[in-house]
Amino acid sequence: MRAMVVEQWGGPENLVEREVERPEPGLNEVLVRVHAAGVNPVDWKTRASGALIDWDAVPVVGWDVSGTVEAVGPGVGSFRPGDEVFGMPLFPRQAGAYAEYVVAPARHLAPKPASLTHVEAAALPLAALTAWQALVDTADVRPGERVLVHAAAGGVGHLAVQIAKARGAYVIGTASEPKHELVRELGADEVVDYRAARFEDVVSGVDVVLDGLGGETAERSLKVLRAGGRLITLPGPDDVPAAAQDGVRAVWVLVEPDHLGLREIAALVERGELRPVVDTVLPLAEAGKAHEIGERGRTTGKIVLTVG
């Protein structure tokens, strides 16, 4: 099968198309013929250094997949060949989504939302699960709470706005001014132009902050939280500020495969409460170009690779 192999850790030019052995499903595993693969920051960060991930002998990046079940291994009763599925298998082990086929544990996948194309579905798993696990599983956002989402037009942010709104929250997003209309269309009640004002000067009384930026943004976010508020940061454990005052809770969340979470996300899609925004679509062979675009940090929504 074709796959985009990392020949050596470094720049996007090191993503090279190669013929590799097609995997076979084992116990409780599913072989998926990939139609589309989502591109996420963790893809280019791990491609650059090889850090964090438990790599196979042939490194292939990517975790977001949408495709068709080609075969099932012994013990799988939830899927049959021909079923359309999506998911984020194996993270933080290698999944190898930048390829024509992927093997995944059956419980790391879920039925693809029927209303979405494979490109749209591939834009969801990692980013939507990150937002879901941060806002729902960790912060337990409740109706009427005030939620601040940083980088609200980004890959995780634009989905977090919609998930928080679906939970009945009052949502505030930060974004550059040209992206305000989109963020409002996605459900934000307020949008702050971070280039024109410091968010902590114009926002207060927040129950939950979702911080996908880290660094000083996490520290500054403490200033807008009410007593008992929750700060969820995504970049890494070193970005979690001390937050014992006023009972504020600050935690780092790393996404994990989640069959039930995927089903909840699919249900939101089918109810019209969640939609992925796809910024750029490129063929698999142009994965390096996709990484170059992503690394510029100006993407609205997601980048997706088509396979096949």
Side-chain angles (χ1 to χ4, degrees), residues 161-184:
V161 166
Q162 298 174 77
I163 289 171
K165 198 64 185 177
R167 300 282 289 182
Y170 182 93
V171 181
I172 307 162
T174 65
S176 60
E177 194 280 330
K179 299 179 180 180
H180 283 202
E181 183 178 354
L182 170 65
V183 177
R184 288 194 179 95

Side-chain angles (χ1 to χ4, degrees), residues 176-291:
S176 60
E177 194 280 330
K179 299 179 180 180
H180 283 202
E181 183 178 354
L182 170 65
V183 177
R184 288 194 179 95
E185 287 177 359
L186 296 175
D189 299 283
E190 294 181 34
V191 189
V192 176
D193 183 355
Y194 65 88
R195 293 174 176 171
R198 291 175 67 85
F199 65 85
E200 65 268 35
D201 293 337
V202 294
V203 177
S204 62
V206 170
D207 297 280
V208 176
V209 175
L210 181 62
D211 167 38
L213 302 173
E216 68 166 14
T217 301
E219 291 283 352
R220 291 163 55 199
S221 293
L222 293 176
K223 300 177 182 179
V224 308
L225 284 167
R226 65 163 180 80
R230 292 90 79 197
L231 169 63
I232 315 298
T233 190
L234 304 176
D238 293 338
D239 292 292
V240 180
Q245 66 273 18
D246 298 324
V248 168
R249 180 187 180 205
V251 297
W252 170 56
V253 168
L254 178 65
V255 69
E256 58 185 306
D258 183 355
H259 171 80
L260 294 179
L262 287 171
R263 283 189 171 273
E264 293 283 1
I265 288 162
L268 288 178
V269 170
E270 300 296 27
R271 292 200 299 268
E273 296 180 299
L274 182 68
R275 66 178 178 92
V277 173
V278 177
D279 180 279
T280 304
V281 180
L282 293 168
L284 178 64
E286 295 186 30
K289 181 178 179 181
H291 281 209

Side-chain angles (χ1 to χ4, degrees), residues 123 127-128 151 153-160 299-302:
V156 173
H158 86 284
L159 299 169
T299 304
T300 299
K302 296 296 299 295

